[in-house]
Amino acid sequence: MDKSKISIRIATIQDAEALLAIYAPYVENTAITFEYTVPSVEEFARRIHRVMTRYPYLIAEAEGEILGYAYASAFHSRAAYDWAVEVSIYVNRHKRRMGIGGTLYKALEMSLSAQNILNLNACIAYPEEEDEYLTKDSVAFHQHLGYQMVGEFHQCGYKFNRWYNMVWMEKHIGAHVENQSKVKTFDEVRDTLQSQYGI
């Protein structure tokens, strides 16, 4: 796929069914997510809504086809953590290694930077030994984009009758200073992102 054909837009609640179709195979066939049961379309729509009250939820598409999505969520509820988020990404499993993930994360970083977010944290399922349900590809993907490993939890996720580890990876996208700028909501920067970057 020509990367120049990939466009990024903001998700809507009406995208829930199409996004769930991308997510469901990860639940059913992989340990990439530790969720056991595919959520309903209604529940997935509620999740999108919860994210978008504060953070970006972005979609990659080409020629009218949704290829993947990425979003941010709160890293922790305490006020001092406001400048940190957890990032998540899912790409159509038949469209991987086409530059979709990198394009999505680039747009997500621009959006979060506009909100004055500084720390991006990725929580990643990680196998001690790769198997048919989980590889180390996600860690390699994040390393390629500048994330660094900061911690590993051992045998904390149980799925498909197997135990998996979990790692945290981190990337800083802004300077940490004494008088830090206040974090903005996604709605506060949406118009700027659309006019400057076409998101």
Side-chain angles (χ1 to χ4, degrees):
M1 176 181 294
D2 184 351
K3 285 176 63 175
S4 66
K5 294 183 178 180
I6 301 173
S7 61
I8 304 295
R9 66 171 175 84
I10 300 168
T12 69
I13 300 301
Q14 288 69 39
D15 293 310
E17 186 171 3
L19 299 186
L20 182 58
I22 291 174
Y23 180 62
Y26 287 96
V27 176
E28 295 172 328
N29 304 313
T30 82
I32 290 172
T33 171
F34 284 167
E35 191 160 16
Y36 279 16
T37 305
V38 176
S40 67
V41 173
E42 293 75 19
E43 167 58 22
F44 208 78
R46 285 192 290 270
R47 295 181 187 185
I48 295 171
H49 174 73
R50 281 196 299 269
V51 166
M52 295 187 68
T53 59
R54 189 173 179 186
Y55 299 110
Y57 203 122
L58 305 179
I59 286 175
E61 60 184 4
E63 300 176 343
E65 179 186 4
I66 293 178
L67 306 171
Y69 62 95
Y71 62 93
S73 54
F75 178 63
H76 199 287
S77 60
R78 300 286 189 255
Y81 288 103
D82 281 356
W83 291 264
V85 296
E86 181 179 347
V87 294
S88 300
I89 185 169
Y90 290 93
V91 173
N92 183 316
R93 295 187 70 198
H94 302 293
K95 305 286 185 178
R96 295 165 65 190
R97 304 185 190 282
M98 296 181 179
I100 299 164
T103 301
L104 269 169
Y105 258 11
K106 181 179 178 181
L108 189 65
E109 286 186 21
M110 286 191 298
S111 302
L112 294 168
S113 181
Q115 291 182 251
N116 296 322
I117 299 294
L118 302 175
N119 292 29
L120 310 185
N121 303 284
C123 178
I124 302 170
Y126 193 67
E128 292 187 359
E129 294 184 9
E130 293 185 331
D131 61 27
E132 66 269 34
Y133 301 113
L134 188 63
T135 68
K136 299 179 180 179
D137 287 356
S138 185
V139 166
F141 167 74
H142 284 82
Q143 285 175 331
H144 178 71
L145 295 179
Y147 285 74
Q148 296 183 344
M149 190 83 74
V150 292
E152 182 171 2
F153 296 81
H154 299 94
Q155 296 183 321
C156 59
Y158 182 73
K159 191 172 182 180
F160 304 123
N161 298 317
R162 304 179 188 194
W163 285 102
Y164 294 102
N165 296 355
M166 179 271 285
V167 300
W168 278 105
M169 299 187 74
E170 167 187 82
K171 182 177 182 179
H172 291 177
I173 59 171
H176 296 73
V177 298
E178 185 174 345
N179 295 306
Q180 199 69 54
S181 298
K182 183 180 178 182
V183 172
K184 301 176 182 178
T185 66
F186 182 63
D187 277 345
E188 290 178 276
V189 303
R190 182 194 293 253
D191 290 344
T192 300
L193 290 168
Q194 289 182 323
S195 62
Q196 292 186 359
Y197 305 113
I199 296 174

